[in-house]
């Protein structure tokens, strides 16, 4: 067993000071039991906690650290930016260069606005879509997570899912009634919503590959059908690529599937570990955003010089090294296929879903294509598995309804290490009932 004495002492203090002891709910380990690990240091694939335990990291800060922790190129860019200014609150050259780079990597983005988080990006994107269309309602999918904006906390995924309260307290009925939801991968359900709300839908927002109910891929033709419906009915199609952007390919899920959304939201990788988000897309829609247009959206720290230095350095590296996506694909395939095979050898025909460097082991033998499927998982067994892996130095997301994020720092030896731990932990999770 791990010695977690300093972590648990810190957690006890934190609980008297911070709601639930954490600054973001899923970190609290509520859905797997036990108390969270407090981290001290990270380098490459490895995390070190405050008690000196070491873990191989398969969360990577929920995605941003695609190059592993503390990559030299990002550290250097930040150190060079530091003496210039921590914040100007005025325009800078780097924001222009970053916008150019984003547009080059994600060509559907003709104009882009930088913000400070994925939540802000998604909130702002639907406001822009509403301003552009003059319509009120949006469609989202059950189990997709678009940050904690009021309009999205209806059948939301990620932390909102395991909290057992998909509809958050504090969200008014007035807001909720403008958010319509459909099951993921269900085109007829979307058609029915459009038919029932003629001329009222401003936007359809989705994760083109879902990471927030565990990893769920779009069914063949799903994204294409949504694109066609949105074009036909004048609905703004928003791809929330906060997780998938710069991860599945350097151009995100839209490049992988060859679908051009009207707007895209970005976060996570775009900041290289610092708080950055962005939304952008068609020029005619983005021209509605202030001060060019009448949709108000602002941010004191938006385009912050240190955050853009980190983000730009990481994006530029990804852009200049397309071969690393092939390496990530190979590593991730070994991890996911190995996991599936080990489960099968133990008589557990569990579902493993993978797209690129994101994958999930679902504790169910049924296919997982939407939220209802995901909810069939044996979450108690997942909790035992999670702790068995943690004890073996493998740091997974503390919830069944999250994906693993593979970084380029995962070597073949670390894949072997993970697979050994996986075999022992799956056996342990199903023996110790
Ligand atoms: C993480 C995430 C968000 C929210 O981003 P924050 O930076 O946590 O506010 C939005 N959408 C998706 C798909 C995400 O994975």
């Amino acid at each position: 067993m791990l010695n977690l004495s300093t972590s648990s002492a810190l957690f006890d203090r934190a609980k008297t000071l911070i709601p639930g002891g954490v600054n973001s709910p899923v970190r609290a380990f509520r859905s797997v039991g036990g108390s969270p690990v407090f981290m001290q240091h990270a380098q490459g694939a490895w995390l070190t906690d405050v008690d000196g335990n070491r873990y191989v990291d398969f969360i990577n800060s929920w995605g941003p650290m695609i190059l592993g922790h503390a990559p030299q190129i990002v550290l250097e860019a930040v150190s060079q930016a530091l003496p210039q200014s921590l914040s100007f609150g005025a325009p800078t050259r780097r924001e222009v260069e970053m916008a150019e780079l984003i547009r080059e990597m994600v060509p559907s983005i003709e104009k882009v606005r930088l913000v400070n988080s994925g939540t802000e990006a998604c909130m702002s994107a639907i406001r822009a879509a509403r301003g552009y269309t003059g319509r009120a309602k949006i469609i989202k999918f059950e189990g997709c997570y678009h940050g904690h904006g009021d309009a999205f906390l209806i059948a939301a995924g990620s932390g909102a899912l395991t909290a057992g309260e998909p509809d958050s307290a504090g969200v008014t009925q007035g807001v909720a009634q403008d958010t319509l939801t459909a099951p993921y991968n269900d085109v007829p359900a979307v058609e029915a919503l459009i038919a029932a709300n003629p001329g009222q839908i401003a936007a359809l927002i989705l994760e083109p590959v879902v990471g927030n109910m565990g990893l769920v891929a779009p069914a063949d033709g799903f994204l294409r059908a949504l694109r066609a419906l949105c074009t036909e009915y004048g609905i703004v199609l928003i791809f929330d690529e906060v997780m998938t952007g710069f991860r599945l390919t350097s151009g995100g899920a839209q490049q992988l599937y060859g679908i051009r959304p009207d707007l895209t939201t970005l976060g996570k990788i775009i900041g290289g570990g610092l708080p950055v988000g962005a939304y952008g897309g068609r020029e005619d829609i983005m021209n509605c955003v202030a001060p060019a247009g009448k949709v108000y959206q602002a941010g004191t720290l938006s385009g912050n010089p240190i955050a853009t230095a980190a983000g730009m350095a990481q994006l530029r590296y990804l852009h200049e090294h397309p071969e690393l996506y092939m390496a990530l694909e190979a590593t991730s395939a070994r991890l996911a296929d190995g996991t599936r095979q080990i489960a099968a050898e133990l008589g557990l025909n569990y579902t493993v879903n993978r797209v690129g460097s994101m994958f999930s082991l679902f504790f169910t033998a049924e296919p997982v294509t939407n939220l209802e499927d995901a909810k069939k998982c044996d979450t108690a067994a997942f909790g035992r598995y999670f702790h068995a892996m943690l004890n073996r130095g493998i740091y997974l997301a503390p919830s069944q309804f999250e994906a693993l994020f593979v970084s380029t720092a995962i070597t073949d030896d670390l894949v072997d290490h993970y697979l050994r731990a996986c075999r022992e932990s799956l056996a342990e999770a199903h023996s110790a009932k």
Side-chain angles (χ1 to χ4, degrees):
M1 290 297 276
L2 301 167
N3 169 15
L4 295 171
S5 53
T6 312
S7 273
S8 57
L10 280 171
F11 191 48
D12 286 341
R13 275 168 68 193
K15 280 188 288 193
T16 69
L17 299 162
I18 304 169
V22 290
N23 281 314
S24 197
V26 74
R27 296 179 196 168
F29 279 29
R30 290 257 171 126
S31 72
V32 291
S35 86
V37 181
F38 280 60
M39 294 301 174
Q40 177 89 30
H41 174 81
Q43 179 67 57
W46 292 89
L47 300 172
T48 308
D49 73 14
V50 287
D51 289 291
N53 303 300
R54 279 164 47 86
Y55 313 87
V56 183
D57 190 7
F58 288 94
I59 308 183
N60 286 294
S61 188
W62 305 91
M65 315 317 296
I66 189 170
L67 301 176
H69 291 275
Q72 203 55 38
I73 44 136
V74 176
L75 295 190
E76 270 165 23
V78 169
S79 352
Q80 277 170 21
L82 276 174
Q84 307 287 327
S85 165
L86 292 176
S87 180
F88 293 106
T92 59
R93 173 191 301 270
R94 201 174 296 119
E95 290 164 86
V96 181
E97 292 171 353
M98 184 147 174
E100 283 169 348
L101 182 60
I102 291 168
R103 197 170 63 174
E104 201 175 322
M105 293 174 79
V106 188
S108 73
I109 298 184
E110 295 164 358
K111 275 198 175 164
V112 64
R113 168 62 60 81
L114 294 184
V115 292
N116 305 288
S117 70
T119 293
E120 254 190 276
C122 295
M123 285 167 46
S124 309
I126 59 161
R127 187 179 302 145
R130 284 169 162 158
Y132 175 77
T133 58
R135 303 173 183 174
K137 295 186 177 172
I138 62 163
I139 296 175
K140 77 176 283 289
F141 292 97
E142 294 158 12
C144 281
Y145 181 68
H146 306 294
H148 65 85
D150 282 6
F152 302 121
L153 291 177
I154 320 291
S158 191
L161 192 53
T162 49
E165 301 178 321
D167 301 332
S168 167
V171 175
T172 63
Q173 205 47 49
V175 168
Q177 76 189 12
D178 283 334
T179 300
L180 312 173
T181 63
Y184 199 76
N185 278 322
D186 189 340
V187 176
V190 174
E191 288 169 337
L193 288 176
I194 295 172
N197 298 273
Q200 298 175 63
I201 317 271
L204 186 155
I205 185 167
L206 79 157
E207 296 178 70
V209 171
V210 191
N212 286 293
M213 50 183 150
L215 194 284
V216 171
D220 271 353
F222 178 61
L223 299 176
R224 205 174 328 111
L226 297 180
R227 174 66 278 178
L229 281 171
C230 286
T231 303
E232 183 177 352
Y233 292 99
I235 297 167
V236 176
L237 177 63
I238 306 173
F239 274 12
D240 178 352
E241 297 229 40
V242 170
M243 252 182 199
T244 54
F246 314 110
R247 172 165 288 279
L248 297 185
T249 69
S250 65
Q254 55 195 273
Q255 180 184 323
L256 184 65
Y257 293 97
I259 304 288
R260 192 178 172 100
D262 300 310
L263 292 180
T264 299
T265 59
L266 298 164
K268 299 196 168 106
I269 288 178
I270 198 176
L274 272 73
V276 181
Y279 67 104
R282 267 169 47 191
E283 187 166 8
D284 58 339
I285 302 175
M286 291 305 289
N287 281 342
C288 293
V289 176
K294 292 188 171 153
V295 173
Y296 193 71
Q297 185 271 309
T300 301
L301 295 175
S302 294
N304 173 273
I306 309 304
T308 50
M312 267 279 271
Q314 180 157 279
L315 290 192
R316 199 172 269 150
Y317 188 86
L318 294 172
H319 189 46
E320 288 168 1
H321 295 83
E323 72 283 358
L324 70 80
Y325 289 96
M326 271 151 12
L328 276 175
E329 171 72 23
T331 306
S332 308
R334 271 197 72 207
L335 288 163
D337 296 348
T339 303
R340 189 184 297 108
Q341 192 184 328
I342 286 166
E345 284 167 19
L346 295 170
L348 305 161
N349 284 316
Y350 283 167
T351 295
V352 176
N353 285 351
R354 180 180 73 87
V355 177
S357 58
M358 296 166 67
F359 74 97
S360 291
L361 164 63
F362 289 99
F363 279 54
T364 172
E366 317 259 331
V368 179
T369 63
N370 61 28
L371 181 60
E372 207 182 301
D373 296 339
K375 281 185 167 171
K376 290 178 192 152
C377 290
D378 182 348
T379 52
F382 176 84
R384 293 190 296 271
Y385 173 70
F386 169 82
H387 282 287
M389 289 292 267
L390 193 68
N391 277 324
R392 288 166 178 82
I394 304 288
Y395 193 67
L396 304 176
S399 163
Q400 169 71 89
F401 305 109
E402 302 287 352
L404 283 80
F405 298 97
V406 183
S407 80
T408 56
I410 300 296
T411 59
D412 282 345
D413 281 352
L414 292 177
V415 172
D416 293 337
H417 176 44
Y418 162 94
L419 290 173
R420 269 193 310 276
C422 174
R423 183 181 298 278
E424 293 171 11
S425 299
L426 269 179
E428 189 178 312
H430 293 86
S431 64
K433 282 210 178 168

